[in-house]
């Protein structure tokens, strides 16, 4: 391909390319093609600017051919993507004593002096990098010119070529500066991103009639709703109207003087330009314009800056107006954006009294009284008092309190600690790793060292989207899950070709999931059902029972409660599949640890405290993650799974009465050998047979395996022989593949990511190389034995667009994620399907 | 192949086969071929016996053709392998009133009555399963015959055919009994193992001259040393001479009357038969013989029963006499047998007062005073008092005490607990899981509930080979590692084609390893070097240091000690490679837990106890196995590895002076990503450069990776780019592949193995399906990038013959195991090489 010329006049047919001249140049060409009154403009290519930075002399020959000798010119940067930044615009290039005099003739000396002085300063300070204090004190152009000459030992250049060459060189070099480079790379720019420049004839905004500059857009930056918004400032240049307090409105209403009163035709034209741009450029743009004697010139148009909410609204509105297809609306939204719409957020411009920066562990923001125990949180909730639960770290016993709290703050842990995972599942904002706060659970105080001590009941605000913790209340924006958001999700459902289920442990979770229209529950962790105080007591009795029959008898009391859990879930899910994972955690998670709690448990069980303490100690494990849990419990203490299977089947019979039959899915956790599946299958089949018998009702069910040990993935072929489905639990699989405990990794994960040891926290972003290979092996081997096997991923990664792409290309049937990740997952899945067409 | 006839006379040319007639029939044929005076014998095939068990009528036509009408016959079982058992012999078949009368004529009525009565009882009780009390009270043949007729409602059969048919049927059925089946399957017999039978003409041992029966062998059952040993009993039958107190010796000496005095020619013949059998059958056999008027008949010969020690001695002696090749001697020894020669053992016939049966965790036996702390064990050792260390469980702080103890007993843990692993490494007998003993560390008592309380200083005996714990001393056999054992190892070294290294952490380990002639150290775990009290104090100071420089300063004090460690190791190993694993365990293993210990640490560090306690608490981990250890420590606290690398290189320089240069191997633990290797390699290379510089000495070294996470195995290709070697640590790899903590698995492992969930404890026997696949992937991928990479296995499985076979077929260079497993590993490797020729 031939190299583009260094400089090109921006005409409808010029070879202007986004990747060679930048997006501003390209956009200007589009405006020109739309016949908008754009001033004469010239584009400098990336290569040309690169050459300038390397010291090459600019070839400015074209400028004198195109522009008049008396034209003032502006230079603006034009990078490939608007958010990669670039040096600020330089205006009025070409200004000199002769032109100043000429302006003085027509518009008066003051106007001319102000313009000239401003250009001299800008040129000296921003282009030549002289000190700004050179121009301290009372100033006129001639004093400024003298100072300049003293400093530079040459007179201020009077020719446009010299000025322009310096400006271009200065901008080219600024682009290569380290901080500019870092800033744009943070926005995703590649290391060799180029800068284009646009040179444009300026329209002098000092005419006798109405003259000045302004900016106009037609949707709200905050909401995306249609709303013409503009500001205009007489005799100004550039974007000054946006920042000056005395700028005027554009449309005429009761808010004060407006441009429409004086130049109605220009404003009418502006509005029609808005329509044209929206329709033809298929985007909401902000128009930068000037007036000279009410004559309109469009200098530039840029994509309207927008909040997450506005982004969705604009895309949906464009599609609903038929301007873009629905698919394009879906493709335009970064799935992560949807997170911000589902949670309360702190207004970006709200003042705040920062206390501490922790880890943004679960999105959303909340204000409330601080409390230091799960019980206190529940008490507040019962009285409808918003509260923030403060804990060193959370444990399963805290879950009901976490549910009751409006936000959670922990001293320990990271993105994948217990607090973080549960909070995201519950949709409760959470900040973890708040190590700069000193917590005393005993004194019930939260201390910001050297600043303040907060007591129980004091108000703070927690922003789980940013990790910030602030004193007192802070102004919020409410979530926006209706309207455009709902429409977008509906379109995503139409487009996607992959199932999205939710991880839901309780009826409440299931309701949230159904509100987002899921395809079922992919992971119902039944252990969370046992932390209710009554059930917890029964669980503890079961743990302390000596014999299998005693255990079974105790578990019989849990049976009706579990059955009721499942009936409620099945009914809520209205025939959508529900995948129930059998009991998974180690039993010691159900036992108290403090001395008082042990004493009261001993009293409840009518056992000596020392015996209770000994039993608790004997259940402790060195590495609970790798211990007596999951199917290992199911095999060694069969009564638990038997009770659960019975509860599931009895609920199936009950929930199927007079309705479409429920087909429950039962999932076995922590499998590492085929024989584990066989043993559990035999027992579950036997329970099913006896429930069928007792109830006189036939039903079917599907038994499957949660693949979360590397061995289960490797042995997926033989495991699949007995499994209707395999669901990959990437949380544990990641822990075991790396030999890395999620709960302990927080201590070094940031050092690891910062030093590039891991590209990213593998609990955040699935490791496609290692864990991914095990997944692919598992999928392939499982399917080789049972071609119709259902394959899926559950666990935290299930809501991550990149993981969803991985699962889809591996041919999985669905992914399952926290209810609050479902919209993100749906949009990600829709985008993948659209890309694949 | 045509079916063999049901019955075959055993002649030199008959088609007798081990797998159709059993090993006794085959052996008899060999004796016949050697022209030994074997009585006329007939073999029944497995199929014939199977038919009898199913109720088929025996075809006894051949018997009347071969044997005389007055011959008495015996039937003996003949299974495929001697140790699969079989029903006991039945003698004197054919006995009846007529023959009894005839014997009475020639030998007197008493002899005849005794023979006849004994046969009637045996036939009634053992063959027909009548009650033995049928023959209570004073008995003669005619009373017995009457009782028999009363009970059976028919008279005692007088014809040999009827008797023989019943005997054969009875023996055939006994073979099919459940307990016989279980017993032989425990010896490795297949489910369909067959039984052959041998019918032999009896030689009546009641002649006028010297008549009787005896048994003779030419080596010691205990030691295998040449030693003619035999017993003879006049007028006896079968093997009675072995059990009767009044049996005589065979060779004439000063111990009492001997057969040689009366039948010198027969004894001379017996001795020459021994030589013939040894030379021609290439085995030490025990000869069963009868004499009739000093005329010798050889009834049978069986392999001499032998201890482990005798087994080795016999094989080596046969090879040294040129009777079998060395290779065959190597192949004849089960490698596991060697374990028994390396440790003291309790005499199998020693009386013992059993206290408890635990898990046989480390072989060998010891008697000593019980002590309840590592310190007490060290005190005993200092005074040369044998002691047994009693602990609930052991931790790294106990190691010096474990070293000092003569045996270790723990209440908790299994084959793979800390105590078990360390004890096997140290060669100290150990019993774990002694849950029937109640230990009180505070009171220093060991209670056998309902029996006895032992106090510190009381004597017990521990047998780590069987798991038994006994009161007081018990008679022992000393180890035997010289002589035949040493010769066998030398031959194994000549035969094997795979390296065997030892895991050795200390100079003492290295000395043991060198005594067994290893090919180097495959795993030197450096952390054990830090548990010496002085070093432990420094380690703790390091852990409490705030800044990197402080840590480095503290570690500087450890540097000379580590350097000395390595110099000693390098010098001991005399140029053999030493693979040093960099520091691996989590730091909290070095911190005390008790309140007093924390207080005294606080005093030593001059810090408030609360601060020390907080720091200790903050280092605790949920899953230490998956936490901040190995290379993760190396990267986040680089000072530790830097100190170690410097110590290694300075030791290299020192130990290479005036000798062959040492080439140390440095191994990085717990790697899960390539970048970890790169970072450590950069640092280690820099330290090497600076030591080269400072010392003015050049040296080389090899840096490699311990592959112990599934991810390291999967990513072996990229990891190999920077690794001179990969050593597979199958302990951790097994833990992570299964998601199974060795320390916690004890609680359910036996249930799992008993229910067949796992075929075997995967920490005992490597899981070839899952872990094995990761190993093979790692080997293949590592080699694909670096064809000359050194591949090996370290860890517990390295000493297991089955794993060694796996490693050899995967093409690994060496395996590394505990020093005390080296002989087993060498023999296993030799056998693999021999089989492969």
């Amino acid at each position: 391909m031939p190299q583009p010329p260094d400089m090109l006049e921006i005409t409808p047919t010029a070879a202007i390319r986004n990747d060679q001249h930048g997006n501003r140049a390209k956009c200007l060409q589009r405006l020109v093609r739309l016949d908008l009154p754009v001033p004469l403009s010239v584009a400098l290519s990336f290569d040309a600017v690169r050459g300038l930075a390397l010291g090459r002399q600019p070839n400015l020959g074209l400028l004198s051919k195109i522009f008049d000798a008396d034209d003032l010119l502006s230079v603006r940067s034009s990078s490939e993507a608007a958010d990669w930044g670039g040096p600020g615009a330089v205006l009025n290039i070409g200004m000199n004593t002769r032109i100043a005099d000429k302006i003085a003739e027509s518009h008066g000396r003051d106007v001319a002096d102000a313009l000239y002085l401003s250009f001299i300063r800008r040129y000296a300070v921003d282009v030549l990098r002289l000190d700004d204090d050179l121009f301290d004190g009372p100033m006129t152009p001639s004093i400024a010119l003298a100072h300049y000459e003293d400093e530079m030992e040459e007179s201020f250049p009077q020719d446009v070529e010299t000025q322009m060459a310096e400006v271009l060189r200065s901008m080219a070099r600024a682009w290569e500066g380290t901080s500019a480079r870092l800033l744009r790379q943070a926005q995703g720019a590649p290391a060799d991103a180029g800068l284009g420049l646009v040179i444009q004839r300026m329209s002098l905004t000092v005419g006798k009639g109405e003259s000045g500059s302004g900016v106009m857009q037609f949707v709200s930056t905050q909401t995306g709703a249609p709303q013409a918004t503009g500001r205009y400032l007489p005799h100004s240049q550039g974007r000054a109207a946006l920042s000056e307090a005395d700028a005027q409105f554009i449309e005429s209403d009761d808010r004060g003087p407006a441009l429409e009163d004086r130049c109605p035709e220009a404003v009418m034209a502006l509005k029609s330009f808005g329509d044209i741009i929206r329709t033809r450029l298929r985007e909401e743009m902000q128009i930068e314009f000037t007036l000279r004697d009410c004559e309109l010139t469009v200098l530039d148009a840029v994509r309207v800056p927008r909040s997450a909410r506005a982004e969705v609204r604009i895309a949906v509105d464009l599609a609903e107006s038929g301007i873009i297809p629905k698919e394009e609306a879906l493709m335009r939204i970064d799935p992560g954006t949807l997170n911000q719409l589902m949670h309360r957020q702190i207004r970006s411009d709200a003042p705040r009294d920062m206390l501490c920066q922790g880890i943004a562990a679960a999105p959303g923001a909340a204000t409330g009284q601080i409390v230091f125990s799960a019980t206190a949180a529940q008490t507040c909730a019962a009285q409808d008092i918003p509260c923030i639960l403060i804990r060193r770290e959370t444990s399963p016993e805290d879950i009901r309190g976490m549910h009751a709290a409006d936000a959670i703050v922990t001293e320990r842990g990271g993105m994948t600690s217990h607090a973080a995972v549960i909070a995201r599942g519950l949709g409760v904002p959470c900040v973890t790793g708040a190590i700069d706060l000193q917590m005393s659970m005993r004194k019930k105080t939260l201390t910001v060292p050297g600043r303040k001590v907060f007591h129980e009941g004091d108000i703070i605000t927690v922003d789980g989207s940013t990790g910030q913790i602030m004193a007192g209340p802070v102004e919020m924006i409410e979530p926006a899950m209706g309207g455009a958001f709902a429409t977008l999700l509906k379109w995503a459902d139409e487009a996607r070709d992959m199932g999205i289920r939710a991880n839901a442990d309780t009826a409440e979770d299931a309701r949230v999931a159904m509100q987002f229209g899921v395809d079922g529950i992919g992971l119902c962790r039944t252990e969370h059902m046992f932390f209710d105080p009554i059930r917890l007591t029964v669980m503890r009795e079961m743990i302390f029972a000596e014999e299998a029959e005693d255990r079974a008898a105790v578990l019989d009391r849990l049976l009706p409660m579990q059955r009721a859990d499942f009936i409620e879930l099945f009914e809520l899910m209205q025939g959508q599949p529900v995948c129930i994972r059998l009991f998974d955690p180690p039993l010691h998670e159900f036992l108290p640890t403090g001395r008082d709690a042990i004493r009261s448990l001993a009293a409840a069980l009518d056992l000596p405290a020392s015996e209770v303490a000994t039993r608790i100690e004997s259940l402790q494990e060195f590495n609970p993650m790798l211990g007596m849990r999951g199917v290992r419990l199911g095999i060694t203490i069969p009564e638990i799974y038997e009770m659960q299977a019975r509860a599931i089947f009895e609920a199936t019979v009950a929930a199927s009465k007079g309705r479409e039959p429920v087909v429950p899915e039962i999932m076995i956790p922590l499998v590492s050998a085929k024989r584990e599946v066989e043993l559990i299958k035999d027992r579950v089949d036997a329970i099913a047979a006896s429930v069928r018998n007792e109830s006189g009702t036939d039903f079917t069910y599907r038994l499957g395996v949660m693949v979360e040990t590397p061995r289960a993935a490797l042995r997926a072929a033989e495991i699949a022989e007995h499994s209707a489905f395999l669901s990959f639990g990437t949380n544990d699989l990641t822990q075991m593949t790396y030999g890395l405990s999620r709960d302990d990794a927080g201590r070094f994960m940031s050092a690891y990511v910062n030093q590039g040891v891991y590209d990213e926290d593998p609990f955040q972003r699935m490791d496609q190389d290692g864990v991914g290979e095990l997944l692919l092996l598992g999928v392939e081997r499982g399917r080789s034995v049972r071609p119709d096997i259902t394959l899926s991923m559950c666990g935290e990664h299930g809501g991550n667009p990149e993981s969803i792409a991985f699962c889809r290309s591996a041919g999985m049937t669905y992914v399952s994620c926290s209810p609050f990740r479902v919209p993100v997952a749906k949009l990600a899945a829709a985008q993948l399907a659209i890309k694949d067409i």
Side-chain angles (χ1 to χ4, degrees), chain A:
Chain A
M1 186 180 293
Q3 285 296 305
D6 275 4
M7 250 182 225
L8 265 182
E9 185 183 342
I10 300 181
T11 62
T13 55
I16 304 289
R17 289 173 47 175
N18 208 61
D19 61 355
Q20 285 173 351
H21 301 92
N23 104 319
R24 188 186 302 272
K26 188 68 205 172
C27 182
L28 278 173
Q29 186 182 42
R30 290 195 178 112
L31 300 180
V32 168
R33 285 180 182 158
L34 296 178
D35 274 335
L36 263 54
V38 176
L40 208 54
S41 305
V42 164
L44 261 78
S45 70
F46 295 171
D47 283 342
V49 176
R50 230 171 251 131
L52 293 173
L54 294 171
R56 223 190 297 151
Q57 281 302 317
N59 174 358
L60 300 180
L62 182 68
L63 298 187
S64 56
K65 282 190 204 140
I66 294 180
F67 297 112
D68 294 341
D70 286 357
D71 278 346
L72 295 185
L73 303 178
S74 68
V75 181
R76 286 196 186 79
S77 38
S78 174
S79 55
E80 196 169 336
D83 54 5
W84 293 355
V90 180
L91 308 183
N92 302 320
I93 302 160
M95 193 69 181
N96 55 23
T97 308
R98 184 181 57 77
I99 293 179
D101 290 348
K102 213 174 138 195
I103 293 172
E105 270 172 37
S106 53
H107 298 86
R109 177 53 61 186
D110 286 355
V111 168
D113 277 2
L115 264 179
Y116 195 17
L117 185 56
S118 138
F119 178 66
I120 296 166
R121 288 182 77 142
R122 178 119 175 80
Y123 184 84
V125 175
D126 293 350
V127 177
L128 300 186
R129 312 269 161 199
L130 303 186
D131 268 352
D132 197 27
D133 58 13
L134 196 62
F135 303 103
D136 280 354
M139 204 46 61
T140 63
S142 45
I143 302 177
L145 289 171
H147 285 340
Y148 179 95
E149 195 165 340
D150 280 357
E151 181 70 22
M152 294 296 291
E153 299 186 339
E154 60 180 29
S155 56
F156 188 82
Q158 294 292 311
D159 61 310
V160 69
E161 288 80 11
T162 305
Q163 291 178 8
M164 181 57 80
E166 284 300 336
V167 166
L168 295 179
R169 191 153 36 231
S170 148
M171 291 174 84
R173 284 186 184 147
W175 179 252
E176 301 297 336
T178 307
S179 58
R181 183 188 300 269
L182 288 177
L183 283 171
R184 67 179 173 261
Q185 286 180 2
Q187 296 292 329
D192 64 347
L195 176 72
L197 293 172
V198 171
I199 303 175
Q200 194 176 59
R201 171 189 284 159
M202 293 195 62
S203 149
L204 212 58
T205 52
V206 288
K208 293 246 161 55
E210 188 60 46
S211 299
S213 67
V215 170
M216 175 109 190
Q217 68 187 46
F218 304 92
V219 292
S220 152
T221 291
Q222 287 294 326
T223 67
Q227 175 187 321
T229 317
R231 305 280 276 170
Y232 167 78
L233 186 64
H235 303 150
S236 71
Q237 289 187 319
R239 299 170 67 87
L242 285 182
S243 50
E244 294 289 328
D246 54 352
Q248 300 170 7
F249 294 103
I250 289 174
E251 283 184 308
S252 167
D253 55 24
D254 51 6
R255 289 176 299 179
L259 179 60
E260 198 170 21
D261 305 331
R262 298 188 300 288
C263 300
E265 282 171 18
V267 172
M268 195 180 300
L270 260 182
K271 289 179 181 170
S272 81
F273 291 169
D275 289 340
I276 291 171
I277 288 174
R278 177 184 313 109
T279 314
R280 303 288 301 279
L281 301 193
R282 310 174 341 129
E283 182 52 286
E284 287 292 349
M285 306 287 270
Q286 191 185 55
I287 300 173
E288 207 173 302
F289 65 91
T290 59
L291 289 184
R292 186 167 185 185
D293 297 334
C294 279
E295 190 190 325
L296 184 64
T297 304
V298 172
L299 302 187
D300 199 6
V302 299
R303 208 168 156 273
V304 168
R306 61 196 71 181
S307 70
R309 169 173 330 200
E311 180 154 15
V312 171
R313 171 73 187 264
I314 292 170
V316 168
D317 282 357
L318 286 173
E320 288 193 325
S321 319
I323 294 171
I324 60 174
K326 290 173 187 176
E327 288 72 19
E328 188 172 340
L330 288 165
M331 294 305 291
R332 282 192 182 186
I333 312 295
D334 174 359
T337 305
L338 297 186
N339 267 329
Q340 298 179 42
L341 275 71
M342 287 185 283
H343 301 282
R344 297 175 87 206
Q345 283 188 276
I346 292 182
R347 277 194 76 95
S348 53
D349 49 359
R352 62 199 72 188
D353 176 9
M354 279 282 294
L355 299 176
C356 154
Q357 172 73 51
I359 295 167
T367 297
Q369 297 186 358
I370 58 173
V371 294
F372 294 86
S373 70
T375 320
Q378 288 176 263
T379 310
C380 280
Q383 303 167 55
D384 273 340
I385 301 171
C387 69
I388 313 289
L389 177 61
I390 310 285
R391 301 289 291 159
R392 264 193 218 299
E393 65 204 349
T394 61
S395 70
E397 286 186 48
D398 292 321
I399 286 181
R400 294 174 64 87
M402 295 169 77
H403 214 293
D406 292 80
I408 299 157
V409 175
T410 68
E411 181 186 292
R412 300 192 187 149
M415 277 304 287
T416 47
S417 62
H418 179 265
V421 172
I422 298 297
R424 285 199 293 277
L426 296 173
V428 176
C430 177
V431 172
T432 58
I435 46 176
D436 293 336
L437 297 180
Q438 289 174 1
M439 300 177 181
S440 168
M441 297 298 142
R442 200 170 47 74
K443 294 194 226 152
K444 300 191 177 165
T445 55
L446 189 68
T447 306
V448 187
R451 276 199 53 197
K452 189 164 175 186
V453 179
F454 290 83
H455 297 89
E456 190 156 74
D458 287 350
I459 303 283
I460 66 169
T461 295
V462 172
D463 187 348
S465 306
T466 62
Q468 293 180 345
I469 300 172
M470 292 143 280
V474 184
E475 198 185 346
M476 305 269 185
I477 309 173
E478 294 302 314
M481 291 195 281
F485 177 86
T487 305
L488 194 79
L489 280 197
K490 188 165 63 83
W491 295 347
D493 284 341
E494 291 162 11
R496 70 190 161 91
D497 54 8
M498 180 172 201
I500 307 289
R501 295 198 193 180
N503 300 346
D505 305 340
T506 61
E508 189 151 344
D509 293 344
R511 273 186 211 104
V512 175
M514 284 305 275
Q515 167 189 342
F516 294 127
V518 290
D519 302 324
I521 293 178
L523 176 62
C524 172
R525 285 164 290 219
T526 49
E527 52 272 16
H528 295 155
M529 296 172 171
F530 297 110
F531 283 105
D532 168 288
I534 297 174
R535 301 186 184 189
L536 189 56
T537 307
V538 183
M539 277 301 284
R540 289 172 172 174
E541 255 183 81
M542 190 277 291
I543 295 170
F544 278 86
E546 291 283 332
E547 302 294 334
E549 308 91 78
D550 302 338
R551 278 196 297 269
V554 176
L555 285 164
D556 265 354
R557 285 155 49 203
L558 287 177
L559 174 65
M561 310 184 208
Q562 274 265 280
R563 188 174 51 220
D565 294 335
F566 296 135
I567 291 177
E568 190 178 9
L569 271 185
F570 292 151
E571 291 182 349
L572 275 170
M573 295 308 295
Q574 303 168 15
Q576 297 278 36
V578 177
C579 181
I580 298 165
R581 182 176 75 181
L582 295 173
F583 192 86
D584 182 55
L587 291 181
H588 50 75
E589 282 196 7
F590 293 86
L591 296 176
T593 48
R595 212 179 296 178
D596 292 345
I598 289 174
R599 260 194 228 118
S600 73
L601 176 58
L605 295 170
D606 198 17
L607 287 172
S610 64
E611 197 179 316
V612 172
T614 306
R615 178 93 177 102
I616 290 176
E617 202 197 330
S618 78
L619 283 174
Q620 291 310 311
E621 294 184 302
F622 294 100
N623 296 287
M625 169 62 45
L626 309 177
M628 175 82 154
R629 47 173 283 243
V631 68
R632 293 164 193 166
L633 269 179
I635 284 175
T636 47
I637 309 183
E639 300 79 26
I640 303 177
Y641 281 12
E642 282 169 4
M643 181 279 283
Q644 290 198 302
R646 175 167 287 276
I648 292 169
F649 294 134
E650 291 181 356
T652 299
V653 170
S656 300
K657 284 229 169 75
R659 244 167 293 171
E660 209 191 331
V662 170
V663 179
E665 298 178 350
I666 300 179
M667 181 153 73
I668 313 174
L670 207 69
V671 165
S672 64
K674 158 190 168 181
R675 183 87 187 114
E676 291 169 326
V677 185
E678 291 171 342
L679 286 173
I680 299 301
K681 183 171 166 27
D682 286 351
R683 294 213 190 109
V684 170
D685 284 348
I687 302 276
S690 93
V691 173
R692 281 193 191 105
N693 226 340
E694 290 155 20
S695 65
T697 310
D698 199 15
F699 55 83
T700 55
Y701 66 96
R702 308 176 71 220
L703 189 82
V705 164
M706 183 144 172
V707 176
E708 45 189 340
T709 66
R711 196 171 191 279
L714 292 168
R715 307 304 296 168
E718 56 183 24
I719 286 172
E721 287 171 23
H722 308 286
S723 308
F725 60 88
L726 299 179
S727 189
F728 293 85
T730 50
N731 297 358
D732 275 12
L733 194 57
T734 300
Q735 301 198 78
M736 292 169 194
T737 304
Y738 276 87
L740 189 63
S741 157
R742 238 177 18 165
D743 294 320
D744 301 310
R747 197 171 297 164
F748 57 89
M749 188 55 79
S750 62
Y752 252 53
V753 173
N754 290 341
Q755 294 187 52
V757 186
Y758 297 158
D759 292 337
E760 233 175 288
D761 179 348
F763 297 115
Q764 282 300 302
R765 178 175 165 187
M766 198 189 81
D767 159 46
Q768 301 207 353
D769 292 340
V771 176
E773 178 171 11
L774 287 175
L775 243 61
L776 291 179
L777 285 175
V779 162
E780 183 193 306
R781 292 175 183 186
R783 196 176 279 137
S784 73
V785 165
R786 197 184 262 250
D788 65 340
I789 197 164
T790 304
L791 297 163
S792 62
M793 176 196 279
C794 54
E796 291 283 300
H797 296 114
N800 178 294
E802 203 176 345
S803 311
I804 295 171
F806 186 90
C807 293
R808 186 171 176 276
S809 70
M812 292 195 193
T813 316
Y814 69 86
V815 294
S816 187
C817 56
S818 315
F820 282 93
R821 297 286 293 172
V822 164
V824 174
K826 283 186 166 185
L827 179 53
Q831 292 183 347
L832 292 166
I834 292 169
K835 273 187 223 154
D836 231 18
I837 288 170

